[in-house]
Amino acid sequence: TKEIVYREYCDVSVAVASPNGLVVPVIRNAEELSFAGIEKAIATYGKKAKEGTLSLEDMSGGTFSISNGGVFGSLMGTPIINFSPQAAILGMHATKMRPVVYNGKVEARPMMYLALTYDHRIIDGREAVTFLKSIAQKIEDPGRLLLDL
């Protein structure tokens, strides 16, 4: 349909490795979970993926996905939106030392590429880029997450 459905919850898909490749189970009501709760859900899904016990229900309905190809050494790439109802996917890549200009000098600094693919029909580019910049700032300074800045 051409209808946009707004939901009052966040079901976030997280890519995890299985013996047969990546699978994307959904963390239901992620907005209600603490960091520890999210970590526990990811660990549970990771275990189920390795055991081959994920159900179709476990992997359906996510509207936003997070994929961390960096754990496999990916330096850069473009994540692809799977299908409806997914609105966007965040791809995170490996952190590697790279030469960058910092305070007017070339230095070796840790650098990670992030990529956000989103459906332009429902997400405005300005909001998407602002969100991506916010994620980058939180990765650079994880204390911002704890302080909700």
Side-chain angles (χ1 to χ4, degrees):
T1 75
K2 294 182 181 184
E3 179 181 2
I4 296 175
V5 177
Y6 293 93
R7 304 196 188 312
E8 297 298 320
Y9 55 85
C10 297
D11 286 353
V12 178
S13 303
V14 179
V16 297
S18 80
N20 296 322
L22 287 179
V23 291
V24 191
V26 179
I27 299 173
R28 310 268 178 218
N29 300 304
E31 78 283 359
E32 295 178 2
L33 298 176
S34 64
F35 284 105
I38 291 171
E39 182 63 30
K40 184 177 178 182
I42 293 170
T44 298
Y45 282 136
K47 182 178 180 194
K48 287 176 82 171
K50 287 183 178 131
E51 295 170 348
T53 59
L54 283 170
S55 69
L56 190 54
E57 173 78 14
D58 290 332
M59 296 185 286
S60 63
T63 55
F64 181 83
S65 292
I66 301 171
S67 179
N68 184 1
V71 298
F72 303 109
S74 169
L75 294 177
M76 187 182 301
T78 302
I80 303 298
I81 296 173
N82 282 336
F83 51 82
S84 181
Q86 192 174 70
I89 180 170
L90 174 67
M92 302 169 68
H93 302 282
T95 302
K96 299 286 184 182
M97 297 301 283
R98 294 190 175 91
V100 296
V101 176
Y102 184 75
N103 289 334
K105 297 180 183 176
V106 176
E107 297 181 8
R109 306 266 304 173
M111 192 168 165
M112 171 200 278
Y113 287 106
L114 300 175
L116 181 67
T117 303
Y118 51 96
D119 186 335
H120 288 269
R121 295 171 299 176
I122 56 176
I123 299 175
D124 182 74
R126 183 186 65 187
E127 278 69 31
V129 172
T130 301
F131 168 75
L132 187 59
K133 188 172 179 177
S134 169
I135 294 295
Q137 290 170 338
K138 288 172 173 73
I139 290 170
E140 289 171 359
D141 182 5
R144 296 176 70 89
L145 284 171
L146 298 175
L147 298 173
D148 198 27
L149 298 175

